[in-house]
Amino acid sequence: MLITCPYCGPRDVIEFTYQGDGNRERPDPASQNFEAWNAYVYDRLNPAGDHNEIWQHSGGCRAHLKVVRNTLTHEISSVVFTRGDHGRGDHGSAARGKAEDKS
Amino acid sequence: MVERQSPLEPEFHVGSHGNFEHGVEILLTETRPGSIVQVAAWPGEEKKLISAIRTVAGLALPDGAGGGVSDGVKSVFGFAPGKFTVADEAEGLAAAFARVVTPAIGTVTDLSHGRTAIRIAGPKAEWVLAKFFAIDFALPAFPIGAGRSTTHHDIFVQIQRTGADQFDIYVFRSFARSFWKALCHASEEVGYEVQ
Ligand SMILES: [Zn+2]
């Protein structure tokens, strides 16, 4: 599996670290909404198809990346920097194919 | 100036080695720069940092990710967004940067004692490096002056191409001897010379 880092170009997956599901919405740290915290920690879409993910190019430029990966084929359809695009955003379908350059 | 000890010392054997009957195709050296410095810009301050590099090192960075340049004495290359490695044969580069790169622009990290610079040159340099690193070493994909951040066996390195068949590899000093031994083993089949 290759991930095309927006800075480094195509690199083997061995250079990257998975940072978790990109669909999670982290509640405000002061929040006492236990349902929201429960959803953040446990609820996952687990799709058979395109999935929003956060990866770090830990063995390269060390940038954090928003990746859309197909869980059936491993096809990577979108990779953008997380920087400058805080929060959940429209990391999935709406962001697809757009070569957002946040450098 | 105090002579800095090389971490390669016990495994650094000057001369020709391996399968060199038909000629030496790899040249291995330790370049021993006096300064190795990383400079990083806060988001939006990249242009100021690039002009600071021009002021301090006299090097003009080309545009683009991983772009770099070397004049044979000083070298610079991008290794991450807004981050650059600068090396100089002379000491004192970190102090010079600290005077120009203000806290509002970014940070200066002196790695002169933290990294070891190994140069691999010769017609089989790409061939030998391809045994270690899963990146494209072909000249069109990796132009002269450019830098790359990558890993071998989960150990991080930075590589700058300083010639058509010459690469400077920056490795962790504590890991340099192990990497050097591996590099020598990988060069045996083509014949190598240590200088
Ligand atoms: Zn990268």
Side-chain angles (χ1 to χ4, degrees), chain B:
Chain B
M1 192 175 92
V2 177
E3 180 68 23
R4 195 180 298 169
Q5 281 202 312
S6 167
L8 309 181
E9 198 88 37
E11 298 294 338
F12 194 91
H13 306 299
V14 171
S16 298
H17 306 278
N19 184 25
F20 65 88
E21 297 81 35
H22 307 292
V24 163
E25 296 195 276
I26 288 289
L27 204 60
L28 297 177
T29 49
E30 185 189 358
T31 63
R32 292 179 171 235
S35 301
I36 304 170
V37 176
Q38 279 185 5
V39 289
W42 304 122
E45 303 293 318
E46 292 85 355
K47 286 200 168 66
K48 283 182 199 157
L49 185 66
I50 287 167
S51 87
I53 291 168
R54 192 193 299 254
T55 305
V56 172
L59 297 170
L61 271 162
D63 284 337
V69 63
S70 176
D71 65 8
V73 176
K74 296 190 180 84
S75 305
V76 62
F77 57 92
F79 68 92
K83 298 177 182 173
F84 306 89
T85 294
V86 195
D88 186 358
E89 279 184 7
E91 295 188 18
L93 194 60
F97 268 113
R99 284 191 287 273
V100 178
V101 180
T102 62
I105 295 174
T107 60
V108 178
T109 309
D110 188 355
L111 296 174
S112 308
H113 296 256
R115 298 288 183 274
T116 295
I118 293 167
R119 175 168 291 169
I120 178 168
K124 290 289 185 186
E126 285 183 24
W127 168 263
V128 169
L129 289 180
K131 299 182 188 186
F132 291 89
F133 307 105
I135 64 171
D136 191 347
F137 285 101
L139 196 54
F142 193 163
I144 293 172
R148 298 285 182 268
S149 301
T150 184
T151 54
H152 73 97
H153 306 100
D154 284 338
I155 305 293
F156 183 75
V157 298
Q158 293 176 354
I159 306 171
Q160 183 179 30
R161 184 175 213 136
T162 48
D165 57 4
Q166 177 173 297
F167 300 85
D168 292 355
I169 309 168
Y170 295 87
V171 295
F172 298 130
R173 183 184 163 95
S174 57
F175 197 74
R177 194 185 305 161
S178 170
F179 178 73
W180 172 261
K181 279 181 79 172
L183 200 56
C184 289
H185 289 317
S187 304
E188 267 175 12
E189 60 148 347
V190 296
Y192 69 98
E193 185 181 338
V194 175
Q195 280 186 347

Side-chain angles (χ1 to χ4, degrees), chain A residues 7 11 14-15 59-61 81 83, chain B residues 65-66 78-80 149-151 156:
Chain A
Y7 187 85
R11 295 294 181 93
I14 203 166
E15 291 192 3
C61 66
F81 292 119
R83 172 181 280 181
Chain B
F79 68 92
S149 301
T150 184
T151 54
F156 183 75

Side-chain angles (χ1 to χ4, degrees), chain A residues 54 66 80-91 95 98 100 102:
Chain A
I54 305 294
K66 299 203 301 186
V80 296
F81 292 119
T82 54
R83 172 181 280 181
D85 200 0
H86 298 294
R88 178 175 167 177
D90 54 358
H91 178 156
K98 264 194 239 160
E100 301 174 25
K102 292 281 160 56

